[in-house]
Amino acid sequence: MKITYHGQSTILIETNGKSLIIDPFISGNAGAKVKVEDIKVEAVLLTHAHADHILDAAPISKANNAPVVSNPELAAYMSWQGVETIGMNIGGTLDLDFAKAKMTHAFHSSGIIDEENKNILYGGMPSGFIIEAEGKTILHAGDTGLFGDMKMIGARHDIDIAFLPIGDHYTMGPEDAVQAAEWYKAKLIIPIHYNTFPVIEQDGEAFVKALEERGLKGKVLQLGESMEL
Ligand code: NI
Ligand code: MN
């Protein structure tokens, strides 16, 4: 399995000869090392409706004939942009044939702000995903603050890699993310959702050090960097 970080919360997973992408935000990220048109996937998973997670979902979905997988409200919104969608909800598992995706909870919001009409569209509940393939388990926490049921998720899933937001301001910051890592009991923690904008600037290496001080293992992935699992 090959995993590539494309910045913000964008994770590409290649497994069993196919690929999926979670929260594609590439064209809006000045630091991105890949072009939207170079993304080849069989599915596009969205954790919630905020622009820094869904910006490139429709073009990637259309170009690849790949369904968008999200909560039902966001799926409806995406379908109005002419893409194929699969709506699911928290607690459910979707079998994509090459990987399984379980939708798990996140403490955040998920509205779509329509500035022009001064309207806020309900974007469904925010979520995370637990991806299982090749006997491995990967958690993408989505955007979230710290919550106690991370402990329950860690107890019920043997997580190999957890992608956790550390940017603070919109999500948990590094200190809470260390606690989250402890509760998820992941074998490896990779920080996401930081350094894309000034308000979420964080030191990824300092976060990895803080994890090590608690006996946990972390790793910073640079934008465009891949790893094997
Ligand atoms: Ni968000
Ligand atoms: Mn976000």
Side-chain angles (χ1 to χ4, degrees), residues 203-222:
D203 184 339
E205 295 298 344
F207 173 65
V208 167
K209 264 201 196 97
L211 287 169
E212 282 166 1
E213 281 163 17
R214 302 277 276 270
L216 301 164
K217 197 178 164 207
K219 180 183 169 70
V220 169
L221 284 184
Q222 303 301 331

Side-chain angles (χ1 to χ4, degrees), residues 16 19 33 54 57 95 99-100 105 111 114-115 119 123 129 143 173 179 192 205 214 217 219 221 228:
N16 294 317
S19 311
K33 299 283 187 285
I54 72 168
D95 192 346
K100 283 183 178 172
H105 33 299
D114 175 3
E115 291 279 359
N119 193 18
F129 282 105
D143 276 7
Q179 180 61 74
I192 58 171
E205 295 298 344
R214 302 277 276 270
K217 197 178 164 207
K219 180 183 169 70
L221 284 184
E228 291 289 334

Side-chain angles (χ1 to χ4, degrees), residues 5-62:
Y5 180 52
H6 285 305
Q8 191 66 346
S9 297
T10 309
I11 306 294
L12 183 80
I13 299 174
E14 296 167 67
T15 179
N16 294 317
K18 293 185 176 174
S19 311
L20 64 84
I21 194 165
I22 304 174
D23 287 355
F25 177 75
I26 294 161
S27 63
N29 187 347
K33 299 283 187 285
V34 69
K35 285 184 180 146
V36 172
E37 52 268 35
D38 294 333
I39 299 291
K40 303 285 175 236
V41 290
E42 274 73 26
V44 181
L45 278 58
L46 304 178
T47 62
H48 65 293
H50 290 155
D52 60 317
H53 299 259
I54 72 168
L55 185 70
D56 299 317
I60 290 171
S61 172
K62 284 179 194 168

